[in-house]
Amino acid sequence: MTDFTATRAMFDLPEGVIYLDGNSLGPLPRAVSARVARTITDEWGQMVITGWNRAGWMDLPTRVGDRVGRLIGAPAGSVIMGDTLSIKVYQALASALELRAGRSVILSDTGNFPSDLYMADGLCRTLGPDYQLKTMAPEAVEDAIDDTIAVLMITEVDYRTGRKHDMARLIAKAHAHGALVVWDLAHSAGAIPVDVTAADADFAVGCSYKYLNSGPGGPAFIYVAPRLADKVRPALSGWLGHEAPFAFDLDYRPGAGIERMRVGTPPILQLVALDAALDVWDRVDMNDLRARSLELQQIFIDSVAQRCPELVLASPTEGAARGSQVSFHHAEGYAIIQALIAEGVIGDFRAPDILRFGFTPLYLTPEDVARAADILCAIMHNRTWDRPEFKTRAKVT
Ligand SMILES: *Cc1c(COP(=O)(O)O)cnc(C)c1O
């Protein structure tokens, strides 16, 4: 059994805060500060450029990628870290499209994160007028898979509602129609059990600063199925994905397997932060995490339904159909979230009217969650949110 008291002790949580936003930016694991400080002083400070070899910096994207891979069912050598998720979405899509020459439709759904859709649209425009991004309602996407689709691009867990797609089922249908699938695991990796191997995924991407706690701007990951890794041509053909970067050849030759998905110089300080942050997962069984997450979500849902039903559940009622977050609709969602943050409970708001709460068993207890629901419902009863200072929108919501 996973000891969640022990995992909680591994985080440096701000005093007096109940943090229900680890789905957007994970909190600071205690081990990170000292590790990053050591990398700065002992490695960068003392080794300077020799750190690339002596401190193993150049191997970090694959070494850390393997650790992330273990959380998503990917074998060693099939995941690499780097860039941001938007870039990795583009890279995976471009590679997948090229493997389906003769087809030109990317299929996605309207519940996808806008950046994924924007990147797909931008890629289609670059490739020319034949290429097209088609988006369907999330419930209609499965029926829209046919022999015209080149690539299905799906975010497993909806960033707004927490609704979870059936990954294995969509992949099976896409493959039966000759399409490839790019999975975005932004709200899955570290949140729910994932097995890209069992589901027969082609490509998967995700970020590390949400449930994996690498800190703001932490690198993204990309998985390419080993059966495809030596076949794909990386559209972002940067020098570090070259077979021999330090030969400085004028012609690009892709590196072996997942190595070719590197682009440029890796962000070493953020990779070290992620490496330290990943230690917590050595103690976690994903099935325990899932069970505990559903338990925490249910406490919150029941309490809100009982005491402030004016908040309308936006997430599926069935736990199995959700990721690790719960959302509600309310027209004054923005102000309510601001009032909540002022009282030490951090959730977030997603336009147009979603109040969103992430449940991360690594550092949240049932008592925290019950207390957060108490505070939320008190704000609703007392209309504490109805003040001008809670209605001014900040740049980041
Ligand atoms: C968080 C998130 C992103 C963010 O992309 P970045 O390039 O890291 O800013 C993209 N897609 C999805 C589905 C996300 O949840």
Side-chain angles (χ1 to χ4, degrees):
M1 272 308 270
T2 304
D3 178 355
F4 290 111
T5 308
T7 59
R8 181 181 172 95
M10 295 175 82
F11 285 87
D12 209 349
L13 299 166
E15 197 61 39
V17 164
I18 300 176
Y19 195 59
L20 305 182
D21 214 358
N23 52 310
S24 212
L25 177 69
L28 174 66
R30 283 189 199 282
V32 167
S33 311
R35 266 292 293 287
V36 172
R38 265 206 322 274
T39 303
I40 291 174
T41 53
D42 301 359
E43 297 182 6
W44 180 18
Q46 295 307 309
M47 298 179 190
V48 280
I49 199 168
T50 66
W52 286 108
N53 291 317
R54 284 167 66 201
W57 293 343
M58 203 47 102
D59 300 328
L60 273 177
T62 33
R63 197 169 65 68
V64 176
D66 283 347
R67 297 188 78 188
V68 171
R70 283 201 285 278
L71 300 175
I72 60 166
S78 63
V79 173
I80 195 159
M81 310 302 302
D83 315 299
T84 72
L85 178 50
S86 303
I87 299 292
K88 280 345 212 185
V89 165
Y90 186 96
Q91 198 180 26
L93 270 180
S95 296
L97 272 179
E98 201 173 304
L99 291 171
R100 281 296 167 269
R103 294 191 186 191
S104 52
V105 180
I106 299 172
L107 176 65
S108 191
D109 73 68
T110 52
N112 207 341
F113 191 75
S115 194
D116 297 36
L117 300 175
Y118 303 158
M119 294 308 277
D121 179 61
L123 174 60
C124 287
R125 286 170 195 274
T126 302
L127 291 172
D130 291 346
Y131 287 83
Q132 179 199 345
L133 167 66
K134 188 168 159 186
T135 49
M136 308 294 293
E139 315 74 51
V141 80
E142 183 175 345
D143 281 345
I145 300 170
D146 61 26
D147 290 353
T148 66
I149 307 300
V151 182
L152 178 65
M153 174 183 76
I154 297 288
T155 295
E156 187 183 19
V157 176
D158 187 303
Y159 75 105
R160 269 191 298 225
T161 63
R163 177 203 35 75
K164 192 165 84 61
H165 274 299
D166 185 335
M167 181 157 162
R169 188 182 159 113
L170 287 176
I171 291 174
K173 177 151 188 203
H175 285 175
H177 286 275
L180 291 170
V181 184
V182 173
W183 279 93
D184 190 325
L185 301 175
H187 297 277
S188 308
I192 57 175
V194 178
D195 193 333
V196 291
T197 304
D200 200 21
D202 303 303
F203 295 84
V205 294
C207 44
S208 65
Y209 52 80
K210 291 173 179 162
Y211 292 93
L212 302 180
N213 313 307
S214 68
F221 65 83
I222 183 165
Y223 161 81
V224 181
R227 64 189 148 75
L228 298 175
D230 282 320
K231 287 192 209 153
V232 299
R233 194 190 65 85
L236 302 172
S237 35
W239 74 301
L240 289 180
H242 192 281
E243 185 182 34
F246 290 90
F248 297 105
D249 288 342
L250 294 184
D251 296 321
Y252 183 79
R253 290 191 314 277
I258 196 70
E259 288 289 334
R260 67 186 57 189
M261 299 317 248
R262 289 183 189 241
V263 182
T265 306
I268 298 306
L269 298 180
Q270 299 258 211
L271 278 164
V272 165
L274 173 57
D275 195 28
L278 288 173
D279 288 351
V280 68
W281 298 100
D282 296 342
R283 302 164 165 250
V284 176
D285 176 305
M286 287 310 286
N287 294 316
D288 293 346
L289 182 100
R290 176 63 169 162
R292 175 85 154 187
S293 163
L294 289 175
E295 182 195 331
L296 297 177
Q297 293 177 49
Q298 203 58 50
I299 292 170
F300 201 73
I301 289 174
D302 290 345
S303 187
V304 167
Q306 227 168 45
R307 291 151 55 215
C308 45
E310 60 271 39
L311 295 178
V312 178
L313 188 65
S315 303
T317 45
E318 175 86 28
R322 290 193 302 266
S324 201
Q325 62 172 73
V326 170
S327 306
F328 300 91
H329 294 287
H330 195 285
E332 293 293 344
Y334 184 80
I336 297 165
I337 288 290
Q338 298 316 303
L340 202 54
I341 293 173
E343 300 204 22
V345 179
I346 302 186
D348 65 19
F349 170 76
R350 284 292 172 263
D353 67 344
I354 296 267
L355 299 90
R356 185 175 73 159
F357 303 96
F359 294 91
T360 317
L362 298 182
Y363 48 83
L364 283 173
T365 62
E367 296 71 36
D368 291 332
V369 172
R371 189 165 150 64
D374 286 348
I375 296 172
L376 174 61
C377 291
I379 285 170
M380 297 310 295
H381 286 189
N382 304 330
R383 294 179 65 87
T384 322
W385 53 266
D386 196 8
R387 288 196 209 138
E389 73 259 34
F390 294 141
K391 298 186 180 178
T392 325
R393 300 233 175 161
K395 188 166 180 180
V396 176
T397 66

